[in-house]
Amino acid sequence: MKHKLKQLAGQLNGELYTDKMMRTLYATDASAYAEMPLAVAIPKSKDDIKTLINFANEEGTSLIPRTAGTSLAGQVVGNGIVVDVSKHLNKILEVNAQEHWVLVEPGVVRDELNLFLKPYGLYFGPETSTANRAMIGGMVGNNSCGSNSVVYQSTREHTLEVKAFLSDGSEVEFKALSFDEFIDKCSGDTLEATVYKSIRSMLGNYENQCEIRKEFPKKSIERRNTGYAIDLLLETSPFSAGTPDFNFCAMIAGSEGTLAFITEIKLNLVPIHPRETGLLCAHFESIDEALRANIIALKYAPRASELIDHYILECTKENLEQRHNRFFVKGDPQAILVVEFAGTSLEEIKSICRRVEIEMRLAGLGYHFPALFGKDISKIWSLRKAGLGLLSNLPGDEKAVPVIEDTAVDVHDLPAYIADFNQILEKYNLYSVHYAHAGSGELHLRPIINLKTEEGNRLFRVIAEEIATLVKKYNGSLSGEHGDGRLRGEFIEQMVGKKNYQLLKEIKNTWDPKHIFNPNKIVDTPPMNEMLRYKPGQQTPAFNTVFRYYNQDVLQHAEQCNGAGECRKTHLMGGTMCPSYMATRNEKDSTRARANILRTFLTSSEKVNRFDHEEIKEVMDLCLSCKGCKSECPSNVDMAKLKAEFLQQYYDSNGVPLRLWLIGHSSVIAKLGTLVPGLYNYMMTNKLISNALKKLIGFSIKRSLPTIHSVTLKNWFQSYKRQHPQEKFTKKVYLFCDEFTNYNDTEIGIKAILLLNKLGYGVTIPKHMESGRALLSKGLIRRVKRIAEQNVSLLSKVITEETPLVGIEPSAILTFRDEYPDLVSDQLLPEAKELSSNTFLIDEFLVQELKKGNIGKEQFTKERKVIKLHGHCQQKAWLAQKASEQLLSIPENFQVETIASGCCGMAGSFGYEREHYDLSMQIGELVLFPTVRAQADDVLIAATGTSCRHQIYDGTGKNASHPVEILLNAVV
């Protein structure tokens, strides 16, 4: 097979991967399953797909279509060739604004499609919680919907036409057909004619009709993805009078890539909703109260009614991003129902909210009913959408498991169904998370189970069996939106009856006789508790790590990644995570891939040092340690921390490369340079010498090297304070003189001290070590641990709430807040935590002083200035970028706009390194460079990070200033 796969690779315009690393990365999705594929294909064209189909037919293998890979039922896991269409087949082909449709390839991202459609005043309605990376092909395959399905239903209702390849390689187009057109399709002996003749025979049979109408879910349940949708095809012409035209798209939607390989999709569009919207966030003492209140809310025609339970609310307390979005929560409710209403005015919506609140209170339901509008709406929906990822934050090996998580029943049956559901769980001493689509009768229900144990594996199956029986009792759907896959396929016969299940198998066998399309999904699935990520009873060693992982170990931290794929969003969606994926669109460059590869080898390696694998090193290579995942990943996977840990452990077996040692000790080299600064700077700027140095070190010759100042900041300050005694100031502040400001950006440090003095603050530079940031970035964390302990010991004696520590360079000062508490010894941990709470960026400190009234706007110019601000990645990770914006906005006529850029691409030394230079510049070109170039000459560019300013200069030729430089010039 290896030889044949090599031949196949030569026939493709795209790529074919057969190496262990790539196969490992595609062995999982967002489900509990893992199965090593034969190969991974990245097709560039429809011709590639046809070639793959021919190969699968000839060699008896299978194709597993995949887009973002966020499936929750194991739909894109299998032992054949995974075909990832997300990288190249992602074009918007045509828009018809008059007829309200768009033609797209399957790799188009749902939210990016709507950005494109906005100028047309149109919108694709169905919205998943993963909509900023979910792709249309996957949405059709899963028949996705989302929180707004009470208005827009599911993807099926908006899928007008589909172009696809059938299993024999023939290309077909499915669309609505009149009676005569349907009959014409049944003529001939092609596979296309065969599938039409088969469905005509099947649904034209009266006994089949009766059985389908008897056994399939209630028609009142709009969310139903159980099996192939033959119940919906039955309600079309020519099988039922007075019904819509027959369209196979109704069955293709939700077929999970098992019947045909989709290449183009024509979607129905709706006008952008022009009216005002608002949220009623009703608080309840129990889940049952919330579900009964939900029925009341639905009487008022909401656009959405979503449940958030106390487990998720607890998780939001520990998530850097989401804890800011829980501002509206009062007390500790057991459940919150978020109900969205629309109206022609805010007053109309407020009136609806008041009426709903009154009716709920009269029914004895709820205790707090805040109504939220404007910018607050996106915060609440962000919190709701983060639910899936937040559930991975549970410490230890017990996790909220996706096993029966999207069962759907009639919304009026929901309170009774959930009561029965919880009684079943109580019987097994289990409890469950409840959240999401109450308005559609579908809650995401995830029992807390440890799948690493034999008992957990048994419960995984037992709960599935029991809940399947319960769903059938209510004539519901075992899957409301996430599909059958290999998780629920085993129970479809129970859900639709034996006779109907045979009809579903007949469909699969007719469309795909050799089972080359995603086999063992929906029908003929293996037992649902086989091929799980975790083998019951599998033991892993205790890991002797440098970092502290609190209530878990390093493996469990990597396992927090559940595959939800937030790291696969592009620059168009905003945010920082993950810059390398944004530039390359390669799965292996996503945070998810890094977590997957680390989890795999730490679990199954046979080496004494389980970190000692080139596969991990390769996948970690393009991690920029930007820290974006620390706040943006809903599962709080801190990949920069994991990368640093990996590198240290890897060096233990392989030694530290010279270049990495030099970068990590760059402050030592700069210190030596201060002995002869003129010579040092000559060597850095002379083209011949600097190019030779770059080649020797392994830096790109296209990159300019940083120079050092003629005097260090510490030496300058010693001289300055003799002439300007700092004791005369009544207000005092301690300044952390980081290694970058001390040697390279001394001028900025000087201006920061002058600014503080002008604003009435005496400055003290206490005794301290360097921050260790360069060492951290290269994984030399044992050395950083010693630095951290020295700094904590030195500074905890003087730094208090009244005398805070302030820093200029974000990456350096934030080590106190970020890495130090995870590195120091247990004895120093209390001091490290206390110190971290009293450590601030200078931007944060000055904004706080403004709010306290210690600084006034009258101290600054009234001159008008336009400023474009780029924030440092690690500042963004701690949600501290707002402080820089607020700082620059202190002068009342300064107009500050934050550039919607993620990482600048430099990331410390990353952008200097020869093999990373091109990617570094590619990242800069996504948003930052074009925005900076577009500014008029009188617009000021601000950037808080030293590497950011360097990158902006190298990429655009424009100089960027630190906010303190701009503010100093604004003092009057």
Side-chain angles (χ1 to χ4, degrees):
M1 182 60 83
K2 284 185 179 179
H3 176 68
K4 291 178 179 177
L5 287 170
K6 187 175 181 179
Q7 286 183 324
L8 173 63
Q11 297 168 10
L12 298 174
N13 293 315
E15 300 89 44
L16 185 76
Y17 298 95
T18 58
D19 59 286
K20 183 178 180 181
M21 183 199 72
M22 283 293 284
R23 290 163 58 223
T24 298
L25 296 182
Y26 282 84
T28 58
D29 50 14
S31 72
Y33 296 95
E35 187 170 10
M36 189 69 86
L38 176 68
V40 176
I42 315 291
K44 275 191 174 179
S45 64
K46 292 199 294 186
D47 287 343
D48 278 354
I49 293 172
K50 186 167 184 177
T51 299
L52 287 163
I53 291 171
N54 291 338
F55 180 85
N57 274 309
E58 291 166 6
E59 302 302 331
T61 188
S62 61
L63 307 177
I64 301 109
R66 173 168 167 150
T67 50
T70 60
S71 300
L72 290 168
Q75 285 97 324
V76 295
V77 172
N79 61 13
I81 301 174
V82 174
V83 185
D84 183 350
V85 300
S86 66
K87 185 174 182 179
H88 299 299
L89 298 180
N90 53 18
K91 301 175 191 65
I92 299 170
L93 301 172
E94 186 179 356
V95 178
N96 189 313
Q98 289 71 36
E99 297 180 13
H100 289 193
W101 57 260
V102 63
L103 185 66
V104 301
E105 290 182 323
V108 171
V109 174
R110 185 266 184 189
D111 279 359
E112 293 185 14
L113 172 62
N114 280 339
L115 278 179
F116 176 84
L117 292 171
K118 191 173 182 179
Y120 297 92
L122 297 171
Y123 182 78
F124 175 63
E127 176 185 26
T128 69
S129 62
T130 58
N132 64 355
R133 66 271 192 198
M135 298 175 183
I136 299 301
M139 292 185 72
V140 172
N142 269 11
N143 188 35
S144 301
C145 41
S147 59
N148 60 11
S149 66
V150 293
V151 176
Y152 295 122
Q153 299 177 283
S154 64
T155 302
R156 174 180 286 131
E157 283 75 28
H158 298 268
T159 304
L160 302 175
E161 298 178 12
V162 163
K163 283 186 179 179
F165 286 108
L166 294 180
S167 62
D168 65 349
S170 59
E171 193 168 7
V172 293
E173 182 176 12
F174 296 116
K175 60 183 180 180
L177 302 173
S178 67
F179 179 84
D180 290 339
E181 288 171 331
F182 177 85
I183 298 302
D184 286 344
K185 285 286 186 182
C186 295
S187 302
D189 56 3
T190 63
L191 181 54
E192 180 184 14
T194 299
V195 300
Y196 276 100
K197 284 186 281 191
S198 174
I199 201 72
R200 181 178 64 179
S201 174
M202 179 184 296
L203 297 185
N205 182 295
Y206 178 72
E207 289 184 5
N208 289 345
Q209 292 179 353
C210 293
E211 195 70 14
I212 291 168
R213 289 182 172 126
K214 173 187 172 187
E215 295 287 354
F216 267 72
K218 287 182 181 179
K219 290 183 180 180
S220 59
I221 303 170
E222 291 187 346
R223 284 173 173 260
R224 56 188 194 277
N225 280 351
T226 297
Y228 298 126
I230 55 175
D231 58 328
L232 298 182
L233 289 183
L234 180 57
E235 305 306 325
T236 62
S237 172
F239 307 110
S240 299
T243 56
D245 287 341
F246 181 92
N247 190 340
F248 259 135
C249 289
M251 189 172 77
I252 295 294
S255 64
E256 302 177 2
T258 62
L259 301 180
F261 203 115
I262 296 173
T263 58
E264 293 180 17
I265 306 156
K266 184 177 179 181
L267 298 170
N268 170 63
L269 304 175
V270 295
I272 291 177
H273 195 272
R275 298 190 294 169
E276 296 280 357
T277 59
L279 302 180
L280 179 66
C281 301
H283 292 44
F284 301 93
E285 301 287 0
S286 70
I287 297 289
D288 181 67
E289 267 194 48
L291 296 181
R292 288 187 285 126
N294 175 58
I295 296 173
I296 293 173
L298 292 175
K299 291 162 57 178
Y300 293 82
R303 290 176 57 80
S305 182
E306 297 283 294
L307 186 81
I308 308 173
D309 81 351
H310 67 288
Y311 291 116
I312 289 178
L313 291 170
E314 280 298 310
C315 289
T316 63
K317 293 178 180 178
E318 302 303 321
N319 181 275
L320 277 172
E321 183 175 20
Q322 296 308 326
R323 68 188 179 201
H324 290 271
N325 293 335
R326 50 174 288 123
F327 64 93
F328 67 101
V329 179
K330 181 177 180 180
D332 284 306
Q334 290 296 296
I336 291 176
L337 198 65
V338 180
V339 190
E340 182 175 85
F341 294 105
T344 56
S345 67
L346 288 180
E347 281 307 313
E348 180 185 351
I349 300 169
K350 289 177 182 177
S351 174
I352 295 171
C353 290
R354 285 192 293 268
R355 298 204 310 271
V356 174
E357 177 183 350
I358 289 169
E359 186 168 350
M360 287 182 181
R361 286 189 183 275
L362 288 174
L365 305 173
Y367 70 87
H368 182 53
F369 298 84
L372 303 171
F373 304 91
K375 293 181 179 179
D376 287 339
I377 291 176
S378 62
K379 296 175 185 177
I380 309 309
W381 285 135
S382 174
L383 184 143
R384 204 318 263 142
K385 290 181 178 182
L388 174 61
L390 291 170
L391 296 178
S392 297
N393 292 345
L394 298 176
D397 291 330
E398 287 194 329
K399 299 295 180 187
V401 175
V403 53
I404 36 77
E405 70 146 22
D406 66 322
T407 55
V409 297
D410 186 291
V411 70
H412 293 89
D413 293 333
L414 192 57
Y417 167 75
I418 293 299
D420 288 347
F421 170 87
N422 284 320
Q423 282 183 5
I424 291 172
L425 261 59
E426 189 176 340
K427 182 170 66 175
Y428 295 101
N429 294 315
L430 295 174
Y431 59 95
S432 175
V433 176
H434 306 68
Y435 74 106
H437 316 302
S440 302
E442 181 210 309
L443 291 187
H444 292 331
L445 306 164
R446 288 194 168 202
I448 313 298
I449 298 175
N450 181 359
L451 288 179
K452 292 184 178 181
T453 65
E454 295 285 354
E455 176 63 7
N457 184 279
R458 184 186 72 84
L459 286 172
F460 187 66
R461 178 174 192 83
V462 167
I463 293 303
E465 292 171 341
E466 292 245 19
I467 300 307
T469 301
L470 179 64
V471 171
K472 186 62 178 175
K473 169 186 169 183
Y474 285 93
N475 205 12
S477 177
L478 196 56
S479 170
E481 63 175 326
H482 294 157
D484 296 315
R486 60 196 309 158
L487 176 63
R488 287 173 272 268
E490 187 180 355
F491 304 104
I492 292 179
E493 183 172 344
Q494 178 183 356
M495 303 309 299
V496 302
K498 187 173 183 178
K499 183 175 177 58
N500 286 332
Y501 183 66
Q502 292 305 313
L503 297 181
L504 303 186
K505 291 183 69 173
E506 182 184 329
I507 287 172
K508 172 65 175 175
N509 291 330
T510 302
W511 286 64
D512 184 17
K514 294 184 179 179
H515 287 210
I516 68 163
F517 287 150
N518 209 10
N520 306 125
K521 315 293 169 23
I522 299 182
V523 296
D524 299 318
T525 59
M528 53 82 68
N529 57 335
E530 290 184 1
M531 301 304 298
L532 297 176
R533 282 192 190 190
Y534 306 113
K535 296 177 182 177
Q538 182 170 344
Q539 299 297 310
T540 54
F543 296 99
N544 183 21
T545 55
V546 184
F547 275 120
R548 176 182 286 105
Y549 293 90
Y550 298 94
N551 296 320
Q552 54 184 199
D553 63 20
V554 62
L555 173 59
Q556 290 169 328
H557 187 72
E559 287 172 347
Q560 282 184 199
C561 174
N562 65 352
E566 180 76 21
C567 49
R568 281 180 57 102
K569 67 182 187 294
T570 73
H571 65 285
L572 297 175
M573 295 294 98
T576 302
M577 178 182 70
C578 171
S580 52
Y581 174 80
M582 288 181 181
T584 70
R585 305 291 179 93
N586 292 328
E587 171 70 22
K588 81 176 185 67
D589 300 326
S590 67
T591 308
R592 173 173 72 181
R594 297 174 189 121
N596 270 336
I597 207 79
L598 193 58
R599 172 183 54 78
T600 299
F601 283 100
L602 292 186
T603 300
S604 59
S605 172
E606 296 180 357
K607 288 190 175 185
V608 174
N609 180 358
R610 296 193 175 200
F611 292 90
D612 183 18
H613 287 277
E614 288 298 316
E615 292 91 344
I616 308 176
K617 184 171 178 287
E618 183 178 349
V619 173
M620 289 289 183
D621 181 55
L622 296 189
C623 171
L624 281 74
S625 298
C626 68
K627 287 281 183 178
C629 48
K630 186 176 180 71
S631 59
E632 292 177 33
C633 171
S635 302
N636 291 136
V637 177
D638 188 343
M639 189 49 62
K641 180 178 180 179
L642 289 172
K643 179 182 180 180
E645 184 75 65
F646 157 72
L647 288 172
Q648 181 67 79
Q649 303 285 344
Y650 183 83
Y651 299 153
D652 289 346
S653 294
N654 299 279
V656 181
L658 176 62
R659 183 178 73 180
L660 300 190
W661 190 94
L662 290 171
I663 293 169
H665 293 84
S666 56
S667 61
V668 176
I669 297 169
K671 185 177 182 179
L672 292 173
T674 61
L675 300 175
V676 282
L679 176 61
Y680 181 94
N681 288 338
Y682 176 77
M683 293 173 65
M684 294 300 107
T685 54
N686 178 273
K687 188 172 183 180
L688 191 64
I689 298 173
S690 66
N691 281 352
L693 286 171
K694 293 171 196 172
K695 289 177 181 178
L696 180 66
I697 299 170
F699 282 177
S700 171
I701 61 171
K702 299 176 184 177
R703 183 67 75 181
S704 62
L705 293 174
T707 57
I708 58 174
H709 200 269
S710 58
V711 62
T712 68
L713 180 61
K714 286 182 179 179
N715 288 341
W716 175 89
F717 185 62
Q718 289 299 319
S719 174
Y720 172 78
K721 70 180 183 180
R722 285 195 290 270
Q723 300 175 31
H724 303 84
Q726 299 297 296
E727 296 78 12
K728 69 179 182 180
F729 296 96
T730 55
K731 297 180 288 186
K732 300 194 181 297
V733 64
Y734 285 89
L735 180 68
F736 180 71
C737 182
D738 67 82
E739 54 271 34
F740 310 105
T741 307
N742 191 38
Y743 299 118
N744 307 106
D745 291 330
T746 306
E747 201 65 43
I748 294 174
I750 292 170
K751 290 179 179 179
I753 292 169
L754 295 176
L755 174 64
L756 288 165
N757 279 182
K758 281 194 171 188
L759 296 176
Y761 296 89
V763 176
T764 299
I765 297 180
K767 184 179 179 182
H768 63 73
M769 305 285 290
E770 65 170 289
S771 72
R773 172 54 62 189
L775 292 160
L776 269 167
S777 72
K778 293 304 169 191
L780 300 170
I781 54 178
R782 286 201 182 89
R783 171 65 181 146
V784 183
K785 178 181 174 70
R786 294 194 291 273
I787 291 172
E789 291 177 342
Q790 288 176 283
N791 273 335
V792 170
S793 296
L794 289 167
L795 293 170
S796 60
K797 296 179 176 64
V798 294
I799 301 304
T800 67
E801 187 175 352
E802 291 72 33
T803 55
L805 183 67
V806 172
I808 299 167
E809 168 57 34
S811 66
I813 192 66
L814 288 174
T815 55
F816 288 89
R817 201 181 290 179
D818 194 339
E819 290 92 355
Y820 281 13
D822 294 343
L823 282 170
V824 299
S825 64
D826 291 343
Q827 293 85 345
L828 283 174
L829 183 57
E831 287 91 340
K833 287 184 173 180
E834 179 68 18
L835 181 58
S836 73
S837 66
N838 295 312
T839 301
F840 303 96
L841 288 165
I842 191 170
D843 315 53
E844 295 175 300
F845 171 74
L846 291 174
V847 168
Q848 289 175 8
E849 292 299 288
L850 175 72
K851 292 176 180 177
K852 291 176 183 176
N854 295 331
I855 298 173
K857 285 182 175 286
E858 69 279 358
Q859 295 174 264
F860 298 89
T861 181
K862 296 188 184 305
E863 183 183 4
R864 294 186 180 277
K865 290 283 184 185
V866 176
I867 303 167
K868 293 286 185 177
L869 170 67
H870 169 77
H872 190 283
C873 289
Q874 291 171 7
Q875 183 179 0
K876 293 171 185 172
W878 282 94
L879 306 182
Q881 178 170 292
K882 192 71 176 175
S884 299
E885 186 177 321
Q886 292 170 331
L887 178 68
L888 289 169
S889 298
I890 291 176
E892 58 186 57
N893 290 320
F894 277 20
Q895 179 186 336
V896 185
E897 298 176 13
T898 298
I899 299 172
S901 50
C903 179
C904 72
M906 181 67 93
S909 66
F910 182 89
Y912 289 93
E913 293 159 1
R914 182 170 50 235
E915 69 274 22
H916 297 147
Y917 173 80
D918 288 342
L919 177 63
S920 167
M921 302 308 281
Q922 192 178 346
I923 292 169
E925 291 290 354
L926 292 174
V927 176
L928 180 59
F929 293 170
T931 304
V932 171
R933 291 191 196 107
Q935 304 311 309
D937 290 341
D938 59 347
V939 173
L940 298 177
I941 307 299
T944 53
T946 181
S947 59
C948 305
R949 295 188 294 274
H950 195 146
Q951 175 78 330
I952 289 170
Y953 179 78
D954 281 359
T956 69
K958 292 194 176 186
N959 288 306
S961 302
H962 191 285
V964 297
E965 297 181 274
I966 296 173
L967 208 63
L968 176 63
N969 291 334
V971 176
V972 294

